[in-house]
Amino acid sequence: MDQTAMSGSTATTAIDRSDKPGHIGVILLVAGLLVGAAIALGFIANEWAQPLILGLLALLSVIGVFGLFAFAIGLVQFSGRAARNDLTKTLVDSAEDGVVVTEGENRIVYANEAYLALAGARSAGDIRPVERLFTGRAEVSEAIYRLATAAREGRRLVEEIRLEPALNDGGTVGWYRVRVAPVRRDGRPAMQWTVSDVTPERERQENAFQELQHAIDYLDHAPAGFLSIDADGEVSYLNATLSGWLDYDLARFGSGGLHLDDIATANAGALIQAIRGQAGDVRIEVLDVDLKRRNGQPLPVRLHHQVAFGSDGRAGPSRTLVLNRAAGEAGSDGSSEAEVRFARFFHSTPMAIATVDRNGAVLRSNAAFARLTQQGAQPATIQDLVAPGSGLAAALAAVMEGSGDAVPLDVSLAGEEGRSARLYLTPVAATEDADGERAIVYALETTAERKLKDNIDQAQKMQAVGQLAGGIAHDFNNVLQVIINASEFLLASHRPTDPSFPDIMQIKQNAYRAAALVRQLLAFSRRQTLRPQVLELGDVLSDLSLMLKRVVADKVALDVRQGRDLWPVKADLGQLEQVIVNLAVNARDAMPDGGKLAVRTRNVSAEECAGLGQQALPPADYVLLEVEDSGTGIPAEHLDKIFEPFFTTKEVGKGTGLGLSMVYGIVKQTGGFVFVDSTIGQGTTFRIFLPRHVPTEEEIAADIAAKEAPKKAAADHTGAGIILLVEDEDAVRALNARMLVSRGYTVHEAASGVEALDIFLKHDGKIDLVVSDVVMPEMDGPTLLGELRQRNPATRVVFVSGYAEEAFRKNLPEGEDFHFLPKPFTMKQLVETVKAAMA
């Protein structure tokens, strides 16, 4: 609406009540009085003249004072100030937006011409404040209420109001932007209201929106599909035609409902996201791929895929034209169907295929090749695909010359460490060299197969070393058994004051040290004998704290942190303590200049296992033992070897290389898992997961009975009865027989299982107890037990072995009852076991 027309439509101009009006009549009255007084003085006698003159002067003084007041209230103004106020007032009076200033409770002190026109005011009495000017529907009242509240609180606010009909008969609908803001006038607070008629602006926006809606409608129902995908694979636009082909509802896009994986096959997604470019590039690729309908069925299409790259090299949203190439669609023919079949075959094959020019630049590739590269990024050349030093350059040069055959080339892929592939290179015939293709590269990723082979090789090596260690330990145990038993006999026949007594004691003590070394070998091969019991790991650590402080020395700070309410575990107490001490010793040696050793325990639930990133750890409840040091760390090339026996990085004479192998064997034999993480210069962390033990009803009952049982009297190691002693080592058999005879038993000796069976038959099975080795030539212990039970099911047996009981129990019938004595043993242990078996 034109402002001139607006002003002419009313008989009013801007109304300004901001200044108090002056009264010119007062000035005229004062002037008349002064003239009258001067005339009157001419008719008065001289004696009255002086008092009258004084009175007149006093009157003039009063007038002067009133003049000052008149200036203060604006009745009298200097011309410069009035000119400035006139200019400002003229600008506001003629403004296109309606302006009104209020004081107090909506008292209007100023309103310009535009506001009067909007309000339809023809006189000062017709002026209405903004709060009463806008009335109508609920949303209008709510907006005015918010503005009025802001005015009372002295703060700014802007609202847009849609009014039906418009103000002052301006049309059927009017849009108004109303602002309120606080102002200060002569130190007094006031509020300035501004009303702008934005109806033309909104009409232009609505027209543009209608045109945009028409354009979107044309695009939605075009005979081709349109698609936009951002760099993260989110589908930001999908037209109605394509959504119909894919059987998706467009309503899903209100919150970014679809991802590239939802509408494209894995091969298609890999090709689309493999497109890369430099900053500022615009790449257009034509891709024959399969999209994916909502029911999972493929839809063959041709994509004209355009991607622009920003200044940072990141891909922007694509502009993709989608042509339906399914059989029977408009535009499809025999040749296109054959092309679709070839594209589907080319992109669906699991072998990565790419063509390269004479410099190795990748010209074309399939989906498998895109997945072969790190993060799906398409390499510029085939050389960028592999790690340096793979021999690719020589093989590629030979193929270019036509002298190379398709010989497999095993390479390591660039980027992520540990990935590998096998490449086959074949030359392109000269007649097919129109577009620069000189060779075809076929590739198969072999990362999984290579890791599997490495794992198998490692397992086989560990198994072979374990079998070797177990065999050595078994034979060595027999030697130690003779030394220990012989030293015990010698000590029994010598007094402590004899000169030879200390030497015999040294022999016995070193034999026990050798036995501990053998146990480490057996621990690695998981054939040692464990005596598991239910333990509280927190109690075990508490008992070991003082020992650990002595082990780690003064330079290393020990920090032991226990988790709350730890679950019980079932393990051999002595072996578990040895595991903790060995790890502490290794940590101490890794911190020659001092550092910190942290030992922590906590529960790990089955749900938490999945988030730990250890694929070899099956989901279950565990108690976690962590031993962390701040030492030198373990090199990456040594991490796979630290659990092997005799492997050590320590100086000669400072380590046997059996400590960690023993830790590994004990943890595995207990049913647990051990993992290690290490960073050079930062330290190493060993994590041991021990299975949570849930006691059975039988264990609970046995525990209660053990607590209530009375204390036993001193043991009597003497006895009587007939014992058949079976041992293939003559020295061991002789000493064991001597021990038993000295305690009152009758002993028959046998050097093998066959000989023992003959003796058993000669005595008609009247043997009170059979004490037999497990590993023997001709007939081993379990086989002998089976033969004896056939002849006398009540035969009692004690098995003696350097291997763990579990190593041979699997060869016995289910539920077979026998006693077990691990080698090497003392005379006391032998007679106690025999006494218990014959009870």
Side-chain angles (χ1 to χ4, degrees):
M1 183 179 294
D2 186 78
Q3 183 64 37
T4 305
M6 237 173 38
S7 299
S9 65
T10 63
T12 63
T13 59
I15 296 174
D16 189 354
R17 296 171 177 169
S18 61
D19 292 333
K20 295 181 179 179
H23 298 282
I24 192 64
V26 177
I27 301 298
L28 296 176
L29 178 61
V30 172
L33 291 174
L34 289 175
V35 173
I39 295 173
L41 286 175
F43 297 97
I44 298 176
N46 291 335
E47 61 271 14
W48 294 98
Q50 186 174 2
L52 290 175
I53 291 173
L54 291 174
L56 183 58
L57 290 176
L59 178 61
L60 292 176
S61 299
V62 173
I63 293 172
V65 172
F66 276 100
L68 292 176
F69 278 104
F71 173 76
I73 67 176
L75 182 61
V76 179
Q77 294 180 348
F78 293 113
S79 60
R81 177 180 175 187
R84 286 195 298 273
N85 287 342
D86 288 345
L87 177 60
T88 305
K89 188 173 183 300
T90 300
L91 292 174
V92 179
D93 286 348
S94 60
E96 294 183 358
D97 297 334
V99 178
V100 60
V101 179
T102 62
E103 288 183 349
E105 295 294 332
N106 284 331
R107 187 174 69 85
I108 297 177
V109 296
Y110 174 80
N112 70 348
E113 296 178 10
Y115 184 78
L116 296 177
L118 287 172
R122 297 184 176 274
S123 64
D126 294 339
I127 301 177
R128 289 176 292 168
V130 175
E131 295 183 39
R132 299 213 316 259
L133 184 62
F134 290 92
T135 58
R137 294 181 300 180
E139 57 268 23
V140 176
S141 299
E142 291 176 2
I144 293 300
Y145 174 77
R146 290 192 293 270
L147 289 165
T149 301
R152 286 193 295 273
E153 295 174 355
R155 55 185 175 85
R156 297 174 178 268
L157 187 63
V158 179
E159 294 278 353
E160 282 201 4
I161 298 173
R162 184 178 184 276
L163 200 61
E164 295 182 12
L167 292 175
N168 198 18
D169 299 330
T172 56
V173 178
W175 285 89
Y176 302 93
R177 184 179 295 118
V178 182
R179 299 183 180 88
V180 63
V183 295
R184 303 287 296 181
R185 192 179 70 81
D186 295 334
R188 296 190 302 273
M191 298 303 296
Q192 176 183 330
W193 298 75
T194 305
V195 182
S196 305
D197 187 352
V198 294
T199 304
E201 179 183 343
R202 289 291 173 267
E203 289 176 348
R204 288 193 298 272
Q205 290 177 352
E206 289 183 0
N207 291 336
F209 179 76
Q210 290 295 333
E211 293 176 0
L212 179 62
Q213 285 293 102
H214 289 309
I216 293 175
D217 184 66
Y218 297 148
L219 186 62
D220 268 346
H221 298 93
F226 290 93
L227 178 67
S228 182
I229 309 166
D230 63 19
D232 297 324
E234 297 292 337
V235 178
S236 54
Y237 175 74
L238 187 74
N239 75 337
T241 301
L242 183 56
S243 68
W245 291 346
L246 301 177
D247 194 23
Y248 277 103
D249 186 0
L250 283 177
R252 289 192 58 182
F253 292 98
S255 57
L258 287 179
H259 189 270
L260 179 60
D261 296 338
D262 297 323
I263 64 170
T265 62
N267 291 333
L271 284 174
I272 292 171
Q273 294 193 310
I275 299 174
R276 295 293 182 268
Q278 302 297 325
D281 285 354
V282 178
R283 295 283 303 275
I284 300 177
E285 297 286 342
V286 179
L287 305 173
D288 291 310
V289 297
D290 282 351
L291 294 184
K292 184 170 56 178
R293 293 185 174 95
R294 190 163 60 92
N295 59 6
Q297 294 298 318
L299 174 70
V301 296
R302 169 167 287 182
L303 304 182
H304 294 263
H305 188 64
Q306 176 181 311
V307 183
F309 296 87
S311 58
D312 58 352
R314 181 176 173 82
S318 72
R319 295 170 176 82
T320 306
L321 174 67
V322 184
L323 300 179
N324 193 340
R325 309 193 71 186
E329 291 292 329
S332 63
D333 53 23
S335 60
S336 66
E337 290 178 8
E339 192 175 355
V340 168
R341 286 194 296 271
F342 173 77
R344 181 174 293 165
F345 166 78
F346 181 63
H347 292 302
S348 299
T349 177
M351 176 171 281
I353 305 174
T355 59
V356 298
D357 63 10
R358 64 173 57 252
N359 298 318
V362 177
L363 302 179
R364 295 178 180 85
S365 62
N366 68 344
F369 189 86
R371 291 196 302 271
L372 192 65
T373 56
Q374 187 180 19
Q375 298 178 351
Q378 183 78 25
T381 65
I382 192 65
Q383 291 87 344
D384 296 336
L385 178 66
V386 303
S390 60
L392 177 63
L396 195 60
V399 169
M400 296 297 179
E401 296 173 358
S403 59
D405 298 328
V407 178
L409 180 65
D410 291 318
V411 298
S412 296
L413 297 178
E416 187 178 347
E417 186 177 355
R419 296 185 64 209
S420 59
R422 174 167 292 181
L423 305 184
Y424 300 84
L425 284 73
T426 59
V428 173
T431 56
E432 302 175 15
D433 197 18
D435 55 357
E437 295 178 350
R438 295 299 303 273
I440 301 176
V441 180
Y442 303 91
L444 279 174
E445 185 171 0
T446 58
T447 305
E449 290 79 0
R450 181 178 174 182
K451 288 183 178 179
L452 180 60
K453 181 179 181 300
D454 292 343
N455 291 338
I456 293 175
D457 291 345
Q458 180 71 8
Q460 289 176 343
K461 180 173 66 175
M462 298 288 277
Q463 182 180 4
V465 174
Q467 290 176 346
L468 176 63
I472 293 173
H474 175 265
D475 294 335
F476 198 42
N477 265 331
N478 286 329
V479 177
L480 291 175
Q481 185 68 63
V482 174
I483 296 174
I484 292 173
N485 291 350
S487 63
E488 284 188 338
F489 277 117
L490 289 173
L491 289 173
S493 61
H494 288 71
R495 295 180 180 180
T497 56
D498 290 346
S500 59
F501 189 88
D503 297 331
I504 300 172
M505 184 62 70
Q506 282 287 340
I507 293 173
K508 181 180 179 181
Q509 290 175 353
N510 281 279
Y512 280 122
R513 287 185 60 191
L517 187 63
V518 172
R519 280 198 299 272
Q520 291 182 358
L521 285 171
L522 288 173
F524 169 74
S525 63
R526 300 181 223 174
R527 297 182 181 181
Q528 69 167 341
T529 300
L530 297 182
R531 295 177 176 86
Q533 56 182 302
V534 179
L535 301 173
E536 297 291 341
L537 195 54
D539 296 340
V540 176
L541 273 180
S542 298
D543 296 340
L544 280 179
S545 295
L546 291 177
M547 180 187 294
L548 292 178
K549 288 180 180 179
R550 291 194 296 267
V551 166
V552 300
D554 297 333
K555 292 183 179 180
V556 177
L558 178 64
D559 181 20
V560 179
R561 297 188 180 183
Q562 300 271 22
R564 291 188 176 182
D565 301 324
L566 291 179
W567 295 321
V569 297
K570 193 169 186 178
D572 186 302
L573 176 59
Q575 300 293 350
L576 184 59
E577 289 177 341
Q578 197 167 359
V579 166
I580 299 172
V581 171
N582 274 349
L583 292 179
V585 170
N586 284 347
R588 178 202 63 191
D589 295 341
M591 298 181 286
D593 299 325
K596 180 180 179 181
L597 173 62
V599 182
R600 298 183 292 267
T601 59
R602 68 181 180 91
N603 293 331
V604 177
S605 63
E607 294 77 11
E608 188 180 351
C609 289
L612 296 177
Q614 300 292 349
Q615 296 181 354
L617 185 67
D621 290 340
Y622 298 96
V623 178
L624 171 62
L625 170 65
E626 288 183 301
V627 180
E628 180 180 4
D629 65 65
S630 59
T632 55
I634 303 173
E637 61 271 17
H638 293 164
L639 282 177
D640 294 336
K641 303 177 181 179
I642 59 174
F643 293 120
E644 297 179 6
F646 310 113
F647 176 82
T648 180
T649 58
K650 297 179 182 179
E651 299 177 6
V652 177
K654 291 188 177 181
T656 63
L658 289 174
L660 288 179
S661 66
M662 182 209 66
V663 169
Y664 179 84
I666 291 175
V667 172
K668 285 295 184 182
Q669 194 172 359
T670 308
F673 299 86
V674 57
F675 303 100
V676 58
D677 294 320
S678 186
T679 304
I680 295 297
Q682 297 183 14
T684 304
T685 302
F686 284 88
R687 294 181 175 87
I688 296 175
F689 294 84
L690 298 176
R692 175 187 182 181
H693 176 69
V694 179
T696 62
E697 295 181 359
E698 292 80 4
E699 290 176 334
I700 296 174
D703 185 53
I704 295 174
K707 292 179 180 179
E708 296 177 352
K711 293 184 178 179
K712 296 182 180 179
D716 179 15
H717 293 159
T718 61
I722 302 174
I723 296 177
L724 175 58
L725 180 62
V726 189
E727 172 62 59
D728 60 326
E729 289 284 340
D730 295 338
V732 176
R733 186 178 67 252
L735 286 172
N736 289 344
R738 183 179 172 185
M739 287 183 187
L740 294 173
V741 170
S742 67
R743 290 298 185 267
Y745 296 102
T746 301
V747 179
H748 299 286
E749 300 181 36
S752 67
V754 175
E755 184 179 347
L757 189 58
D758 292 339
I759 296 174
F760 189 84
L761 294 175
K762 287 180 182 179
H763 290 80
D764 296 327
K766 295 179 180 180
I767 301 293
D768 297 316
L769 180 67
V770 177
V771 179
S772 173
D773 194 6
V774 174
V775 180
M776 295 182 296
E778 297 185 62
M779 182 184 294
D780 60 9
T783 305
L784 174 62
L785 177 61
E787 295 291 337
L788 296 178
R789 286 285 166 82
Q790 289 180 7
R791 291 158 177 81
N792 184 3
T795 304
R796 302 172 185 176
V797 175
V798 174
F799 278 125
V800 178
S801 177
Y803 291 149
E805 179 181 338
E806 292 78 8
F808 64 87
R809 179 179 282 276
K810 59 186 178 181
N811 298 325
L812 296 172
E814 186 70 25
E816 189 66 66
D817 185 26
F818 61 90
H819 287 73
F820 178 74
L821 181 62
K823 290 182 180 179
F825 50 82
T826 64
M827 183 186 302
K828 179 181 178 182
Q829 291 172 338
L830 174 61
V831 295
E832 284 180 345
T833 304
V834 169
K835 186 91 172 182
M838 296 183 66

